[in-house]
Amino acid sequence: SGLTNDSPTLMRTSFGHSIARENDEFVIVLVSFKIDVAYDNEESRQSPPVTVHATYAVRYRVVELSGFSDEDLDAFAQINGNFNAWPFW
C-alpha cells in the first residue's frame, strides 16, 4: 500500500460558508473546505504537517431576492453552496 509507520494516518475535514447579496439579484455563497493530514500524536494533531484550504465563490441569480430573509438564504447556502462547490474540491 506504500504506507509506512512514518506515514500520516489522521485526516480531519471541515467546511463552512458565508453569504452576501449583490444588487438585489444575486446571492454569493463563499464555501470553504479544509483538510488536515497528521500523524497519530498530539504534536502533529495540534500543528498538522499538511493542510489544504480552499474557498469558492458560488454566484446564484435570483429573480426576486427581496422576498428572502437572511435565514432563508443561510439555509439555501448551507445545502446548495456546499453541494454545488464540492465537485471542484
Side-chain angles (χ1 to χ4, degrees), residues 12 36-39 41-51:
R12 179 176 48 212
D36 294 324
V37 181
Y39 298 99
N41 63 57
E42 188 62 30
E43 180 182 351
S44 185
R45 284 191 293 268
Q46 292 297 320
S47 182
V50 176
T51 297

Side-chain angles (χ1 to χ4, degrees), residues 2-72:
L3 294 177
T4 67
N5 289 340
D6 294 335
S7 296
T9 57
L10 301 175
M11 285 194 283
R12 179 176 48 212
T13 59
S14 61
F15 61 92
H17 71 275
S18 62
I19 56 174
R21 297 173 188 245
E22 179 185 300
N23 300 330
D24 205 36
E25 95 177 278
F26 292 98
V27 174
I28 299 171
V29 179
L30 296 177
V31 183
S32 297
F33 298 102
K34 180 181 174 186
I35 186 167
D36 294 324
V37 181
Y39 298 99
D40 192 11
N41 63 57
E42 188 62 30
E43 180 182 351
S44 185
R45 284 191 293 268
Q46 292 297 320
S47 182
V50 176
T51 297
V52 179
H53 184 261
T55 300
Y56 298 94
V58 185
R59 189 173 184 231
Y60 299 94
R61 184 170 188 263
V62 181
V63 174
E64 193 170 324
L65 187 57
S66 62
F68 295 97
S69 70
D70 288 342
E71 291 80 20
D72 293 334

